[in-house]
Amino acid sequence: MQAFIDLSAWFCGIWGAILVRFEFQADAWPTTSTLIAFALAAIVQLGAGFAAGLYIGRWRFGSFEEVAAVSRAALVVTASLLALSTWAYEPRLLPTSVTVAAGVFALVAMGGTRYLWRYAIDRRLRPSADNATKVLVFGAGEAGIQLVTAMLRNPDGPFYPVALLDDEPAKRQLRVMGVPVVGGRDDLAAAANDFDAAHLVIAIPSSSGALIRTLSNAALEANLAVSVLPRVDDLIGTPGVSDIRPLDERDLLGRHEIATNIEQIAGYIHDKRVLVTGAGGSIGSELCRQLQRFGPSRLVMLDRDESALHAVQLSIEGR
């Protein structure tokens, strides 16, 4: 299919360049020379296309890599036609201006066809706005762009992105697959109202606890549910819809929860005499309460604040 598209592009490109060059007089250049030029262009295009991986499934259809390969193949064909037309064939196959214009026309046709095809595929993959939850995505960086793209290429997905938010003014004109950046954190409530959104996804894996607290408070006032992307070191590969998770205390605090190895701690605390200094403070008192669970033979609490020590002892022993 792709080979047929490319050969058709060269056929139309050569004839189109001749018509433009000779003011739409179709008989102004010998038909035989034109057909020979097209035959040579077809042979070189197929050879260059296979060598570049265009017709063997090497590149994702409509991707930047494929467009680059198409451009290289078109350049090889144009250069070959120029060389053959100038030095290896008499009379000339095509005028130089026609050859160059044909290469440009063919490249535009090949790239344009791929773009329209890819656009149609992307439109078919979009989820229905009526059946999915409308979401605002905060963060128009790489993670946010990849997340919006993933949402809009999942026809059965639960989310439909309606707008992006980002505090960087330079991104205010950005659109990602048609989804616009409509403002920063201060515009969250207005965006939720304008786009009838019901959910906010914070797509900044490196965001601080302070930023998440600010956004979650604003989302609460706007009646939005809040989800986040995991932190950078918790992500595996490209951010996707499956990575979205509800907000929890780790996100609000801005640090990971520490997992305690209960068995290991009990092994060196049980039946041992334990001294805790600063036991009347907030950290020291909680440490004493946790240590008491492991059955030390004696727990000695030391602090210069007797009232605080008395409170800790009451909370542990009840007397």
Side-chain angles (χ1 to χ4, degrees):
M1 184 63 178
Q2 291 168 280
F4 175 77
I5 291 173
D6 293 346
L7 296 185
S8 300
W10 274 107
F11 182 81
C12 296
I14 291 173
W15 279 107
I18 290 174
L19 290 175
V20 171
R21 170 66 175 77
F22 295 104
E23 299 180 351
F24 295 94
Q25 297 180 18
D27 57 347
W29 193 258
T31 302
T32 302
S33 297
T34 304
L35 293 177
I36 292 174
F38 170 68
L40 291 172
I43 293 171
V44 178
Q45 174 65 39
L46 289 174
F50 277 109
L54 288 174
Y55 311 133
I56 58 176
R58 180 178 299 172
W59 310 115
R60 184 163 174 258
F61 188 78
S63 63
F64 289 113
E65 293 85 355
E66 189 188 42
V67 172
V70 168
S71 301
R72 291 193 297 270
L75 182 61
V76 170
V77 175
T78 303
S80 300
L81 284 179
L82 283 173
L84 292 170
S85 180
T86 303
W87 297 299
Y89 190 85
E90 286 294 340
R92 294 177 64 114
L93 283 176
L94 296 172
T96 301
S97 59
V98 170
T99 303
V100 174
V104 174
F105 291 167
L107 178 59
V108 171
M110 290 186 285
T113 303
R114 283 170 168 81
Y115 170 79
L116 293 175
W117 194 343
R118 178 65 178 273
Y119 180 78
I121 292 173
D122 286 342
R123 295 295 297 182
R124 287 201 303 269
L125 291 177
R126 281 177 177 249
S128 171
D130 297 328
N131 300 327
T133 302
K134 295 180 180 179
V135 301
L136 301 176
V137 177
F138 188 89
E142 192 62 31
I145 291 173
Q146 291 175 351
L147 181 61
V148 169
T149 302
M151 288 180 178
L152 292 178
R153 287 181 178 162
N154 184 0
D156 300 320
F159 299 118
Y160 186 87
V162 292
L164 283 154
L165 297 165
D166 198 285
D167 286 336
E168 188 174 339
K171 295 180 179 178
R172 295 299 165 84
Q173 303 302 318
L174 178 66
R175 284 179 176 264
V176 180
M177 296 185 70
V179 181
V181 176
V182 297
R185 71 181 72 179
D186 296 333
D187 303 300
L188 192 151
N193 182 65
D194 293 342
F195 292 93
D196 194 26
H199 205 106
L200 171 69
V201 178
I202 303 173
I204 307 178
S206 60
S207 58
S208 64
L211 174 60
I212 292 180
R213 288 194 298 272
T214 299
L215 293 174
S216 62
N217 289 335
L220 183 63
E221 294 179 1
N223 295 318
L224 295 175
V226 183
S227 297
V228 297
L229 282 180
R231 298 182 68 82
V232 175
D233 48 1
D234 293 332
L235 278 173
I236 300 175
T238 301
V241 178
S242 60
D243 293 311
I244 297 174
R245 60 170 175 78
L247 193 67
D248 61 27
E249 65 276 1
R250 294 174 299 172
D251 305 306
L252 297 173
L253 292 173
R255 57 178 179 265
H256 289 289
E257 181 180 6
I258 297 175
T260 304
N261 189 327
I262 302 298
E263 294 182 358
Q264 184 179 11
I265 293 175
Y268 64 80
I269 294 296
H270 184 67
D271 284 337
K272 301 294 195 309
R273 288 172 294 178
V274 180
L275 168 66
V276 178
T277 60
S282 57
I283 296 176
S285 60
E286 181 60 28
L287 181 59
C288 291
R289 283 187 283 268
Q290 297 292 334
L291 288 171
Q292 185 68 17
R293 296 165 46 203
F294 301 118
S297 62
R298 188 179 184 189
L299 177 60
V300 181
M301 298 178 288
L302 177 67
D303 200 290
R304 61 182 179 181
D305 188 338
E306 291 187 17
S307 297
L309 279 177
H310 183 246
V312 177
Q313 186 176 23
L314 283 174
S315 67
I316 293 176
E317 301 176 4
R319 59 181 180 82

